[in-house]
Amino acid sequence: MRGMSTAIVVGTAALLAGCNTHQSTLAPFGADAADIRHLFIIMLVGAVVIAGAVALLMRHAVRAPEGAIGHEKGMRLVLWLGGVIPTIVLLGLLAYSLPYMRPRPVAPADLKVAVDGEQFWWRVAYQAPGRAPVLGANEIRIPTGRTVAFRLGAGDVVHSFWIPGLAGKMDMIPGRINSLVVRADKPGRYRGQCAEFCGLSHALMAFDVIAMPPAAFDAWLAQQARPARAVDSAGARLFATNGCSGCHAIAGVTPPTRIGPDLTHFGSRRTLAAGILPMTEANVANFIRHPEKTKPGVRMPSFPQLSDAEALALARYLQGLK
């Protein structure tokens, strides 16, 4: 009895965990995720019908008097119910689902977004036709109603790119580029996640997904393409003297580098540490001093030598990069 109660509680918790609109395959905002949900519902209904039919047959077999079904009739039942009908049903489901597996076509004018999985963050580069790449990190913005081609790779170990409300999962493999073509239909703020165990902080490797109306997205991308304003402040001097530019690039301020996340427009992001913390001054300062406390196994070095005042000054400088 206790085991049954535990199972009910666990099952209920699992169902409730999926009841959200920002990270759920049952609340799609993209065409591909809507197709996945549709197929899931069809398969679920089919499975319930088949399970019900099997249960009725079992009930009939248990209650039937001995010798009610002879050998010849039993063999015909096995042939039809165990061979012919399942084959027809499975072929029908296959034929029904094949059109949904057709890849979405990509035109030369479509937006390309390169995403690389790192331990434990996301490197992002937008490539619009005729424009230089626009770099970002830990946040992905896409226009609604337009086809977007993701080029997915990895810089260290195998990761898995998954935005449940947009499309299915796609592995990110070092040395290989995989393609995922999507189209968002509904604007809003959603969430993506690494779906492949990649180290100690695998569960802390998320990202924001913001689907925007096309005009708003174009304006945002044009703004992101501009370099950061050089600000002469205590925080800027701390950024330079502590060697932060060796790993992090700020366009217009520091030389390019591909070690850590690009910080050119860091202050415009809504979250910190790959979707884990709200973007507040205190969180930024604490993460700078002790990133390992938020993300075990992170490759960013800690800076305990910074005083509280220095860490806050550096955080204010970074949050000013918008």
Side-chain angles (χ1 to χ4, degrees), residues 241-285:
T241 57
N242 283 278
C244 302
S245 60
C247 295
H248 300 283
I250 301 176
V253 180
T254 68
T257 179
R258 283 187 57 84
I259 298 176
D262 186 273
L263 301 181
T264 303
H265 298 285
F266 175 82
S268 65
R269 298 169 195 162
R270 301 191 179 196
T271 60
L272 170 69
I276 303 305
L277 299 172
M279 182 65 77
T280 66
E281 188 176 286
N283 284 340
V284 175

Side-chain angles (χ1 to χ4, degrees), residues 88-266:
I88 293 173
V89 171
L90 290 175
L91 285 176
L93 289 173
L94 176 63
Y96 182 81
S97 61
L98 281 176
Y100 292 94
M101 302 180 188
R102 187 182 300 116
R104 188 177 298 278
V106 182
D110 290 333
L111 176 70
K112 313 294 191 302
V113 183
V115 183
D116 290 308
E118 307 280 354
Q119 288 181 307
F120 300 94
W121 59 281
W122 307 88
R123 190 190 306 275
V124 183
Y126 301 86
Q127 181 64 70
R131 297 183 181 181
V134 176
L135 303 181
N138 298 326
E139 180 184 275
I140 295 175
R141 300 201 183 208
I142 53 177
T144 57
R146 293 180 183 172
T147 298
V148 177
F150 284 110
R151 291 174 52 84
L152 306 176
D156 37 45
V157 300
V158 175
H159 300 273
S160 184
F161 183 82
W162 190 29
I163 307 173
L166 182 62
K169 301 174 186 176
M170 181 68 72
D171 281 347
M172 311 172 84
I173 304 170
R176 177 174 176 175
I177 300 298
N178 286 334
S179 178
L180 179 65
V181 184
V182 302
R183 190 191 75 222
D185 293 329
K186 185 167 62 175
R189 182 183 177 189
Y190 307 95
R191 184 179 175 92
Q193 180 71 46
C194 178
E196 180 80 23
F197 181 74
C198 55
L200 289 176
S201 287
H202 157 68
L204 303 175
M205 187 174 169
F207 56 95
D208 283 336
V209 184
I210 302 172
M212 309 172 66
F217 175 81
D218 291 340
W220 173 84
L221 192 62
Q223 190 274 334
Q224 293 290 299
R226 300 177 188 139
R229 291 185 304 165
V231 179
D232 184 16
S233 66
R237 290 188 290 275
L238 286 166
F239 188 89
T241 57
N242 283 278
C244 302
S245 60
C247 295
H248 300 283
I250 301 176
V253 180
T254 68
T257 179
R258 283 187 57 84
I259 298 176
D262 186 273
L263 301 181
T264 303
H265 298 285
F266 175 82

Side-chain angles (χ1 to χ4, degrees), residues 14-37:
L15 289 173
L16 291 175
C19 295
N20 63 67
T21 58
H22 68 285
Q23 188 177 358
S24 173
T25 55
L26 300 180
F29 69 97
D32 300 273
D35 288 345
I36 292 172
R37 181 181 66 173

